[in-house]
Amino acid sequence: SQTIHQWPATLVQPVGSPLSLECTVEGTSNPNLYWYRQAAGRGLQLLFYSVGIGQISSEVPQNLSASRPQDRQFILSSKKLLLSDSGFYLCAWRYLGTGGGYTFGSGTRLTVV
Amino acid sequence: RKEVEQDPGPFNVPEGATVAFNCTYSNSASQSFFWYRQDCRKEPKLLMSVYSSGNEDGRFTAQLNRASQYISLLIRDSKLSDSATYLCVVTLLSGGSYIPTFGRGTSLIVHP
């Protein structure tokens, strides 16, 4: 069965520090992968998506970047965090071609202090 | 105009009530439609896909109206455990990939 792993679950980082969040998918190949952010009391904002290794599309220009070094690995990074980067970061995947929906990881709650 | 709009609520209903949510979308070329449920401080989870022919899963019924560009979710015989935020999702094929856009969610509170 397919599973998606995301870590860490919570993170408290000072302003100006770097960030690296990792997401991996198991039990499938060539998934479409997505990074979302949900600010407190807000909706889900699509940050990046990837249809294959090394292919990254950015939806919102900002202080973050994403990379996909392997087929089932998706990484969200920042060189210098801002207070406004605080939020709930969610990774999701959708198998290419399926009529099904999107499956989310359990998320990382980031607080920038 | 937002791409996907939902009434944020909250909808406050007693157990056993029937409640309906609507979600409107702006892009007529939208391809796929879903309803998700999100509990407080948790990730969203797929509730059901939505089709023009309508689909039902137990107490939940979802419907797509392409002409009017909205999707709906009907919950019958509400349970306390149905309390959550319900998100609609609309996807659009762009550059060979389906791009999902989430509504901000509708909050449901079911009380005894």
Side-chain angles (χ1 to χ4, degrees), chain B residues 50-55 62-64:
Chain B
V50 190
Y51 307 107
S52 296
S53 56
N55 50 309
Q63 187 76 50
L64 164 65

Side-chain angles (χ1 to χ4, degrees), chain A residues 32 34 36 38 41-44 46 49 51 59 88 90 94 96 99-106 109, chain B residues 32 34 36 38 41-46 49 51 87 89 91 94 96-104:
Chain A
N32 283 2
Y34 307 85
Y36 285 87
Q38 188 174 38
R42 305 292 298 274
L44 274 77
L46 179 62
Y49 69 93
V51 299
E59 287 295 298
F88 190 33
L90 292 154
R94 189 186 196 198
L96 187 65
Y102 302 83
T103 302
F104 285 86
S106 54
R109 197 161 299 277
Chain B
S32 306
F34 309 93
Y36 276 73
Q38 185 176 25
R41 300 179 70 81
K42 296 288 187 180
E43 75 275 21
K45 294 187 177 178
L46 179 64
S49 302
Y51 307 107
L87 310 170
V89 184
T91 66
S94 175
S97 181
Y98 286 97
I99 307 301
T101 301
F102 281 74
R104 293 187 60 176

Side-chain angles (χ1 to χ4, degrees), chain A residues 37-59:
Chain A
R37 176 172 62 198
Q38 188 174 38
R42 305 292 298 274
L44 274 77
Q45 178 186 34
L46 179 62
L47 302 175
F48 301 94
Y49 69 93
S50 172
V51 299
I53 296 174
Q55 301 179 60
I56 308 295
S57 296
S58 174
E59 287 295 298

Side-chain angles (χ1 to χ4, degrees), chain A residues 3-113:
Chain A
T3 55
I4 180 168
H5 301 281
Q6 198 179 336
W7 66 91
T10 60
L11 196 58
V12 180
Q13 293 283 99
V15 169
S17 64
L19 173 73
S20 180
L21 302 180
E22 188 165 341
C23 170
T24 59
V25 181
E26 295 179 357
T28 187
S29 60
N30 197 31
N32 283 2
L33 296 172
Y34 307 85
W35 277 112
Y36 285 87
R37 176 172 62 198
Q38 188 174 38
R42 305 292 298 274
L44 274 77
Q45 178 186 34
L46 179 62
L47 302 175
F48 301 94
Y49 69 93
S50 172
V51 299
I53 296 174
Q55 301 179 60
I56 308 295
S57 296
S58 174
E59 287 295 298
V60 182
Q62 57 205 321
N63 186 40
L64 302 169
S65 62
S67 62
R68 185 168 176 175
Q70 301 180 45
D71 182 45
R72 291 172 289 174
Q73 184 184 31
F74 204 20
I75 298 172
L76 182 70
S77 304
S78 175
K79 292 182 179 179
K80 289 186 177 182
L81 285 169
L82 306 172
L83 287 175
S84 57
D85 291 324
S86 295
F88 190 33
Y89 288 82
L90 292 154
C91 179
W93 76 279
R94 189 186 196 198
Y95 181 70
L96 187 65
T98 189
Y102 302 83
T103 302
F104 285 86
S106 54
T108 296
R109 197 161 299 277
L110 172 67
T111 303
V112 182
V113 297

Side-chain angles (χ1 to χ4, degrees), chain A residues 38 41-44, chain B residues 4-13 18-24 34-40 44-45 47 60 71-75 81-89 102-110:
Chain A
Q38 188 174 38
R42 305 292 298 274
L44 274 77
Chain B
V4 180
E5 292 201 62
Q6 293 183 253
D7 180 346
F11 285 60
N12 207 317
V13 303
T18 295
V19 62
F21 308 135
N22 277 346
C23 169
T24 59
F34 309 93
W35 281 104
Y36 276 73
R37 169 190 170 130
Q38 185 176 25
D39 293 292
C40 187
K45 294 187 177 178
L47 184 62
F60 298 83
I71 64 173
S72 63
L73 177 67
L74 181 75
I75 305 175
S81 58
D82 292 334
S83 298
T85 297
Y86 291 84
L87 310 170
C88 67
V89 184
F102 281 74
R104 293 187 60 176
T106 297
S107 175
L108 172 65
I109 301 170
V110 182

